[in-house]
Amino acid sequence: MTRSALVFAAISTLTLAQESQPTASDHFRITEHILQKNPPNFSTNLKFGGFAPWTQDVRANVWNVQFAAGPIQFQHHGQADGGGDDWFQQKNAPRLSWWDSARSGFWDGADVSIYRIENGEMRLLRQAKVSKSSIGKDPKTLEPTEEKIWFTEKGPEVRNGDFFVLRMERDKMPRQFRPELITPNTIPPLNGYCTITGNGDWSYDSANPAPEGGSRASLKVDAIEATPEQPTGPWHWFVAHNDKDSKVRFKPGKSYKAQVWLKQAGMSDPRVQIQFGTVLTRIVDVTDEWQKFEFDLPVDDPEKPYSANQNESTRLWIGALSPGTLWIDNLLVWQTDVEQFGVMPEEVAIIKDFKPHVLRLWGGLDAPTLDFWLSRGFGQATRGTYGKTEQPVHASLSATLQVCKETGADPWLILNPWFTSEENARLMEYLGAPADVGYGKLRAEHGHPEPWTSVFNRIHLESANEAWNQIMRYALPSQPETYAAVSDRQFRELKASPYYSKEKFEMIANGWDNGMDKAGWSRRVALASKEADRVDLAYYFGGWEKGATPLASEALAEGEVYQDKLFTTAD
């Protein structure tokens, strides 16, 4: 069977300046052949990051780091290089320990799925529970371990080349990791860079969420030592000088509020200090029952002048004034004229003015589980990695689909390629099922009873991102046929849904460039994939890829001549 691939780009205006090379020729050809009438508008990638004081904008209405979100979800995947009926190993780099990041015991109690590729097709072999993980270096001798994981039960034998996916959810960060990962800290950071000041520790408490807001766990701070002069609790850098363009700034004339739920046990002095940078500091009395505290933040008239540099006065800080246990939940700073966690209207206006054909959205790639991606606001869990947690994804799938709806764009959703078959089925329910069926009910609870398939012309689903690129999550460099099998497994499960139709969904596999030689990644993925409708291309028009490609028809193609990267055909 011959497969044809056609990639095109519509260019409304093309100016090729050759001032630095006056003797060079332009390299384009005009014929009567029309590739596509009325081509779609240009599209764009869109990612909603978490709050950080050194960024210049806030895309979702969250003006603080969500370090009160929990529990912690972990996911790790790889390829076994040996195994048996109750164990497997990965001794080859990056090894089960991911370059000695995790140590023995880290994955104890985790769930593991084993996948096998046979005749070019990936299938689930088995699922099991981890009884023991012997990974990384021995913390005392620093000698390498066997990089092996054992199951609680015997089952089909794991072979060399099988894929494993480890998942677990924890209230406390496993401490079996290389200590240098958090140096100079002595305890794991929260959300990447938040720490506990003073002598204390943290965990999440799934048994004690606040009674409002839908959170799944509260942040539990064990203050070992604490005084009014040296409170103990979590903090992060907050908004600095309101005149610095390089920093997040409150918007003049807008009003802002803050809220937090607190309770304590065993604190002889029940007071807690709450500091919102130089804007506002309050000391409140906290009891053994959950209590909500709310504050109006005078951002245009702060209690202390904004500092030109980050220092102790610019922290967002919640600190116990005496030893004991402090629970924190539902901490939020928000702009009052926008829905909490909602996408900022000025961001929507910019996108709407651009008139994109498609918005390529990254939330599904960053999600360790489907429920993480679908959860909203205070209900979202935390992503875990070795020695720390990462920031939540502030804009949920529901919120980003709403942006697509408001801007007239079709959604292009990048997916975690290791979503389970159940998760792939539930995603299709969320997108296409009636409001009284499965995850269609959850979509209705999120404020959209109508299936999203009724809103958009087509929903594009891509498995992973740049799988050829070794720096990317889920990468399989130099293994295009293997990637095709991984993505086909996901596409096959998505297509098995009763809510799938070819008219409403397009499955996209990761391509690289438009080099269609026999050894090229894009060609090999296109030939190996049985389920993809399209292979995308990833071009970087600068850096080491700057200039024309070998497809240029004339030797003088140099510099800023890129049009040969945008068009290609092959059989």
Side-chain angles (χ1 to χ4, degrees):
M1 179 178 178
T2 301
R3 175 170 297 193
S4 296
L6 172 63
V7 181
F8 62 88
I11 304 178
S12 57
T13 302
L14 178 63
T15 302
L16 298 177
Q18 297 283 337
E19 296 178 359
S20 61
Q21 303 174 49
T23 61
S25 301
D26 292 340
H27 298 273
F28 58 89
R29 185 176 294 109
I30 300 174
T31 72
E32 295 181 355
H33 177 62
I34 298 175
L35 292 176
Q36 180 172 343
K37 293 182 179 180
N38 302 317
N41 290 353
F42 282 107
S43 302
T44 187
N45 285 278
L46 183 61
K47 193 169 186 177
F48 294 89
F51 173 87
W54 41 81
T55 58
Q56 297 185 41
D57 64 348
V58 171
R59 295 182 177 178
N61 195 17
V62 182
W63 295 73
N64 62 284
V65 175
Q66 291 297 105
F67 53 52
I72 316 167
Q73 294 183 349
F74 298 85
Q75 178 186 282
H76 177 62
H77 71 284
Q79 200 164 5
D81 49 36
D85 58 6
D86 64 349
W87 64 277
F88 72 92
Q89 68 182 25
Q90 186 193 32
K91 288 190 173 183
N92 295 324
R95 301 181 291 279
L96 267 168
S97 59
W98 189 252
W99 310 106
D100 191 39
S101 296
R103 297 281 172 84
S104 295
F106 187 95
W107 291 105
D108 291 4
D111 296 309
V112 60
S113 299
I114 304 295
Y115 295 89
R116 177 170 295 165
I117 298 175
E118 290 183 319
N119 300 318
E121 190 169 287
M122 172 173 277
R123 297 284 182 181
L124 177 67
L125 176 69
R126 63 181 293 190
Q127 293 177 310
K129 184 76 74 174
V130 174
S131 63
K132 179 184 176 183
S133 53
S134 179
I135 58 179
K137 294 181 179 179
D138 183 281
K140 294 182 179 179
T141 66
L142 297 182
E143 290 296 318
T145 63
E146 49 200 335
E147 298 283 355
K148 185 180 291 187
I149 279 180
W150 285 267
F151 307 143
T152 56
E153 297 180 355
K154 295 181 182 294
E157 184 175 300
V158 181
R159 301 176 188 166
N160 179 32
D162 289 344
F163 284 84
F164 62 87
V165 181
L166 290 156
R167 279 182 169 184
M168 66 179 180
E169 185 172 286
R170 296 286 184 267
D171 275 349
K172 190 174 180 66
M173 173 65 67
R175 297 304 171 92
Q176 298 94 343
F177 57 83
R178 179 159 44 92
E180 290 79 6
L181 293 176
I182 63 170
T183 303
N185 298 314
T186 57
I187 60 173
L190 286 150
N191 300 105
Y193 60 89
C194 305
T195 57
I196 301 291
T197 189
N199 186 0
D201 202 353
W202 66 269
S203 61
Y204 290 112
D205 191 345
S206 297
N208 279 295
E212 178 185 289
S215 69
R216 298 181 52 197
S218 58
L219 179 67
K220 181 181 178 183
V221 178
D222 292 311
I224 300 170
E225 296 178 354
T227 65
E229 294 74 27
Q230 182 58 62
T232 294
W235 70 276
H236 67 79
W237 300 123
F238 197 40
V239 177
H241 203 288
N242 231 27
D243 294 329
K244 277 189 170 290
D245 291 337
S246 62
K247 308 290 186 184
V248 167
R249 296 178 295 164
F250 290 120
K251 297 171 185 175
K254 296 292 185 179
S255 62
Y256 295 82
K257 296 192 70 161
Q259 70 160 54
V260 65
W261 284 77
L262 300 172
K263 77 171 188 175
Q264 61 88 13
M267 291 173 54
S268 58
D269 180 348
R271 295 178 301 160
V272 172
Q273 176 178 292
I274 306 173
Q275 175 181 310
F276 298 99
T278 61
V279 178
L280 182 78
T281 297
R282 291 290 182 269
I283 293 178
V284 299
D285 289 323
V286 179
T287 70
D288 60 357
E289 297 290 335
W290 279 114
Q291 184 176 352
K292 184 179 183 180
F293 297 90
E294 289 188 299
F295 310 94
D296 293 312
L297 299 183
V299 299
D300 291 329
D301 186 23
E303 290 184 344
K304 300 177 183 179
Y306 287 105
S307 172
N309 300 295
Q310 296 284 10
N311 55 59
E312 189 167 304
S313 72
T314 65
R315 295 177 174 182
L316 191 156
W317 186 6
I318 300 179
L321 304 190
S322 66
T325 302
L326 175 65
W327 286 266
I328 304 170
D329 206 358
N330 294 359
L331 170 67
L332 184 67
V333 177
W334 77 98
Q335 187 175 307
T336 58
D337 62 347
V338 180
E339 178 187 8
Q340 292 181 353
F341 299 98
V343 177
M344 301 301 289
E346 57 269 26
E347 299 289 335
V348 177
I350 292 171
I351 299 168
K352 194 171 184 178
D353 184 63
F354 180 61
K355 297 181 178 63
H357 175 62
V358 164
L359 289 178
R360 189 167 180 259
L361 304 165
W362 292 65
L365 184 74
D366 296 331
T369 65
L370 177 66
D371 285 341
F372 177 95
W373 190 19
L374 299 183
S375 59
R376 306 192 307 165
F378 300 122
Q380 191 174 90
T382 293
R383 293 175 293 166
T385 185
Y386 305 112
K388 66 179 182 180
T389 63
E390 299 177 323
Q391 285 215 30
V393 178
H394 285 157
S396 65
L397 175 57
S398 175
T400 50
L401 290 174
Q402 186 63 35
V403 171
C404 291
K405 181 179 179 180
E406 293 178 17
T407 58
D410 281 345
W412 177 330
L413 307 178
I414 313 175
L415 307 182
N416 176 346
W418 296 112
F419 278 161
T420 66
S421 59
E422 294 81 8
E423 288 174 317
N424 288 324
R426 290 166 182 167
L427 173 61
M428 296 298 285
E429 288 178 347
Y430 190 85
L431 296 173
D436 59 350
V437 174
Y439 270 47
K441 295 180 181 178
L442 181 62
R443 182 193 64 243
E445 292 174 8
H446 291 168
H448 206 278
E450 180 186 16
W452 288 111
T453 48
S454 301
V455 174
F456 304 114
N457 295 319
R458 179 174 276 188
I459 298 174
H460 310 268
L461 302 176
E462 182 177 11
S463 184
N465 172 71
E466 295 188 12
W468 50 268
N469 190 339
Q470 64 181 355
I471 70 171
M472 295 296 178
R473 190 177 301 191
Y474 311 120
L476 289 164
S478 304
Q479 300 181 70
E481 288 79 18
T482 300
Y483 164 73
V486 172
S487 60
D488 270 359
R489 191 274 309 180
Q490 184 164 50
F491 296 151
R492 189 169 57 247
E493 293 171 358
L494 292 166
K495 290 181 177 181
S497 168
Y499 308 106
Y500 166 79
S501 71
K502 190 173 182 64
E503 294 72 29
K504 284 295 181 180
F505 289 96
E506 180 180 60
M507 307 298 167
I508 302 176
N510 297 169
W512 188 350
D513 59 19
N514 64 358
M516 289 297 166
D517 56 283
K518 291 183 179 180
W521 171 283
S522 301
R523 180 186 180 96
R524 289 167 64 184
V525 168
L527 291 174
S529 177
K530 303 178 181 66
E531 304 291 346
D533 301 308
R534 187 185 298 270
V535 175
D536 65 10
L537 302 180
Y539 292 128
Y540 293 88
F541 291 159
W544 64 272
E545 289 192 324
K546 183 177 181 180
T549 71
L551 289 177
S553 58
E554 298 179 41
L556 292 176
E558 296 176 359
E560 303 300 315
V561 185
Y562 296 138
Q563 68 271 24
D564 62 300
K565 288 187 175 185
L566 299 174
F567 299 86
T568 184
T569 59
D571 293 324

